[in-house]
Amino acid sequence: MTALTLAAAETRLILRNRTVLVSAAILPLILGIALMNSPLTGAAQTAGALAAVQLGMLLMFGLFMPITMTLAARRQQLYLKRLRTSPASTASIVTGLASPLALITLLQTAVVLGMTAWETGTAPAHPGLLVLAFANGAITMTAIGFLTASFTKTPEAAQITVLPGMVVLTIGTFWALAPMDGPRGILRSAIPGAALTELATAAWDGGVDFASTAQPIALSTLVAIAAALVAARLFRWQPRD
């Protein structure tokens, strides 16, 4: 069973479940639009910084939280146990379940950032880098969601277990709005959410060379890989006693 097959099956399940569809598709979209005039984005001095905060919040509420709840729910339904006995690998299973949520978040991002471009009269200086920022952020959110699901017994419990991850992601997102060089800047890029903000801001505002983006990309990717490896060892594929 491939990730594409699992993604198609998961998409059908999402479309049939109105609660999941609303929480995954509509609520993050409302949040992203509301951020344009929110006091929380007062630290965003440029259009790129605003877009970066919106992207971070969309990925956090549209991918990190839902994938945590989805993995917990599918485990409780014994769906993951059946998948585990199939030829599908761990990576294929997690990717297949996360792909529909990532696609929904991508569509939300296009709408929200399109409105931001309209409101601010600006556009991304490097659209390709913005796409890379989204992809990097989606990988990070999926990995952290997978890790969080390792400590989540039920979908209801996810409302509590996601809180530490949300705090870290929020800190990383907003902390990265302030310029920081040297070793502290390097360490900051390793905080989940920080690299996403750095990349998205640079993609929108420009003024940077692509070589300077290699560091946050590499560090955030390493952190995502580490989170996924730890999750793969800790994750239980059937309900706990």
Side-chain angles (χ1 to χ4, degrees), residues 86-108:
S86 72
S89 64
T90 299
S92 295
I93 294 172
V94 177
T95 302
L97 294 178
S99 294
L101 296 171
L103 180 58
I104 292 173
T105 305
L106 178 60
L107 296 175
Q108 293 168 337

Tab-separated table of all heavy atoms in Angstrom, residues 86-108:
chain	number	residue	atom	x	y	z
A	86	SER	N	0.327	-4.519	6.954
A	86	SER	CA	0.442	-4.469	5.498
A	86	SER	C	1.896	-4.152	5.125
A	86	SER	O	2.711	-3.836	5.990
A	86	SER	CB	-0.494	-3.397	4.926
A	86	SER	OG	0.003	-2.102	5.221
A	87	PRO	N	2.214	-4.212	3.824
A	87	PRO	CA	3.592	-3.885	3.416
A	87	PRO	C	3.958	-2.406	3.562
A	87	PRO	O	5.108	-2.040	3.352
A	87	PRO	CB	3.613	-4.294	1.929
A	87	PRO	CG	2.471	-5.239	1.754
A	87	PRO	CD	1.433	-4.774	2.711
A	88	ALA	N	2.990	-1.558	3.905
A	88	ALA	CA	3.257	-0.125	4.000
A	88	ALA	C	4.278	0.179	5.092
A	88	ALA	O	4.206	-0.363	6.197
A	88	ALA	CB	1.960	0.633	4.276
A	89	SER	N	5.216	1.048	4.786
A	89	SER	CA	6.235	1.439	5.751
A	89	SER	C	5.689	2.522	6.677
A	89	SER	O	4.632	3.119	6.426
A	89	SER	CB	7.471	1.972	5.021
A	89	SER	OG	7.150	3.163	4.311
A	90	THR	N	6.427	2.765	7.755
A	90	THR	CA	6.025	3.818	8.686
A	90	THR	C	5.937	5.166	7.982
A	90	THR	O	4.977	5.925	8.166
A	90	THR	CB	7.029	3.917	9.849
A	90	THR	OG1	7.047	2.676	10.556
A	90	THR	CG2	6.652	5.046	10.798
A	91	ALA	N	6.937	5.460	7.154
A	91	ALA	CA	6.947	6.733	6.427
A	91	ALA	C	5.741	6.850	5.506
A	91	ALA	O	5.129	7.921	5.404
A	91	ALA	CB	8.237	6.862	5.624
A	92	SER	N	5.378	5.749	4.817
A	92	SER	CA	4.231	5.776	3.907
A	92	SER	C	2.931	6.009	4.660
A	92	SER	O	2.059	6.758	4.202
A	92	SER	CB	4.149	4.462	3.116
A	92	SER	OG	5.257	4.308	2.268
A	93	ILE	N	2.796	5.385	5.819
A	93	ILE	CA	1.574	5.527	6.610
A	93	ILE	C	1.409	6.966	7.093
A	93	ILE	O	0.350	7.589	6.909
A	93	ILE	CB	1.588	4.561	7.811
A	93	ILE	CG1	1.541	3.108	7.327
A	93	ILE	CG2	0.419	4.853	8.747
A	93	ILE	CD1	1.736	2.081	8.432
A	94	VAL	N	2.449	7.513	7.696
A	94	VAL	CA	2.364	8.878	8.225
A	94	VAL	C	2.192	9.881	7.096
A	94	VAL	O	1.374	10.811	7.180
A	94	VAL	CB	3.614	9.208	9.069
A	94	VAL	CG1	3.555	10.661	9.549
A	94	VAL	CG2	3.713	8.269	10.263
A	95	THR	N	2.939	9.698	6.011
A	95	THR	CA	2.829	10.610	4.866
A	95	THR	C	1.446	10.544	4.239
A	95	THR	O	0.852	11.570	3.880
A	95	THR	CB	3.887	10.277	3.803
A	95	THR	OG1	5.186	10.368	4.386
A	95	THR	CG2	3.793	11.226	2.621
A	96	GLY	N	0.915	9.336	4.109
A	96	GLY	CA	-0.409	9.171	3.517
A	96	GLY	C	-1.497	9.831	4.329
A	96	GLY	O	-2.415	10.451	3.778
A	97	LEU	N	-1.402	9.744	5.660
A	97	LEU	CA	-2.411	10.361	6.523
A	97	LEU	C	-2.256	11.876	6.583
A	97	LEU	O	-3.242	12.602	6.743
A	97	LEU	CB	-2.305	9.770	7.934
A	97	LEU	CG	-2.646	8.280	8.079
A	97	LEU	CD1	-2.458	7.823	9.514
A	97	LEU	CD2	-4.069	7.998	7.631
A	98	ALA	N	-1.018	12.358	6.444
A	98	ALA	CA	-0.772	13.802	6.546
A	98	ALA	C	-1.011	14.538	5.232
A	98	ALA	O	-1.322	15.736	5.238
A	98	ALA	CB	0.657	14.050	7.023
A	99	SER	N	-0.880	13.858	4.102
A	99	SER	CA	-0.949	14.520	2.794
A	99	SER	C	-2.252	15.285	2.558
A	99	SER	O	-2.216	16.441	2.094
A	99	SER	CB	-0.726	13.501	1.679
A	99	SER	OG	0.586	13.002	1.724
A	100	PRO	N	-3.432	14.705	2.840
A	100	PRO	CA	-4.669	15.474	2.628
A	100	PRO	C	-4.726	16.741	3.478
A	100	PRO	O	-5.186	17.785	3.019
A	100	PRO	CB	-5.774	14.483	3.022
A	100	PRO	CG	-5.155	13.142	2.870
A	100	PRO	CD	-3.731	13.320	3.256
A	101	LEU	N	-4.245	16.651	4.720
A	101	LEU	CA	-4.232	17.825	5.596
A	101	LEU	C	-3.264	18.879	5.066
A	101	LEU	O	-3.548	20.078	5.118
A	101	LEU	CB	-3.831	17.404	7.013
A	101	LEU	CG	-4.790	16.449	7.725
A	101	LEU	CD1	-4.167	15.934	9.012
A	101	LEU	CD2	-6.121	17.151	8.019
A	102	ALA	N	-2.122	18.419	4.549
A	102	ALA	CA	-1.148	19.356	3.979
A	102	ALA	C	-1.716	20.050	2.746
A	102	ALA	O	-1.489	21.248	2.534
A	102	ALA	CB	0.135	18.614	3.622
A	103	LEU	N	-2.476	19.313	1.947
A	103	LEU	CA	-3.078	19.907	0.748
A	103	LEU	C	-4.127	20.950	1.133
A	103	LEU	O	-4.191	22.036	0.529
A	103	LEU	CB	-3.715	18.815	-0.112
A	103	LEU	CG	-4.399	19.293	-1.406
A	103	LEU	CD1	-3.406	20.036	-2.288
A	103	LEU	CD2	-5.009	18.108	-2.158
A	104	ILE	N	-4.943	20.629	2.136
A	104	ILE	CA	-5.935	21.596	2.615
A	104	ILE	C	-5.235	22.858	3.113
A	104	ILE	O	-5.644	23.984	2.814
A	104	ILE	CB	-6.791	20.978	3.736
A	104	ILE	CG1	-7.692	19.865	3.180
A	104	ILE	CG2	-7.649	22.051	4.422
A	104	ILE	CD1	-8.437	19.090	4.244
A	105	THR	N	-4.156	22.670	3.876
A	105	THR	CA	-3.414	23.813	4.409
A	105	THR	C	-2.781	24.628	3.289
A	105	THR	O	-2.709	25.863	3.359
A	105	THR	CB	-2.327	23.334	5.390
A	105	THR	OG1	-2.921	22.524	6.404
A	105	THR	CG2	-1.631	24.518	6.054
A	106	LEU	N	-2.320	23.956	2.240
A	106	LEU	CA	-1.738	24.660	1.089
A	106	LEU	C	-2.780	25.554	0.422
A	106	LEU	O	-2.492	26.710	0.065
A	106	LEU	CB	-1.188	23.652	0.086
A	106	LEU	CG	-0.581	24.233	-1.203
A	106	LEU	CD1	0.586	25.150	-0.878
A	106	LEU	CD2	-0.142	23.101	-2.131
A	107	LEU	N	-3.998	25.049	0.261
A	107	LEU	CA	-5.068	25.845	-0.334
A	107	LEU	C	-5.421	27.030	0.564
A	107	LEU	O	-5.646	28.151	0.081
A	107	LEU	CB	-6.305	24.970	-0.568
A	107	LEU	CG	-6.121	23.826	-1.582
A	107	LEU	CD1	-7.376	22.954	-1.628
A	107	LEU	CD2	-5.807	24.386	-2.960
A	108	GLN	N	-5.458	26.790	1.872
A	108	GLN	CA	-5.731	27.877	2.815
A	108	GLN	C	-4.645	28.939	2.731
A	108	GLN	O	-4.929	30.146	2.753
A	108	GLN	CB	-5.795	27.320	4.239
A	108	GLN	CG	-6.957	26.395	4.501
A	108	GLN	CD	-6.809	25.665	5.823
A	108	GLN	OE1	-5.698	25.516	6.324
A	108	GLN	NE2	-7.912	25.219	6.386
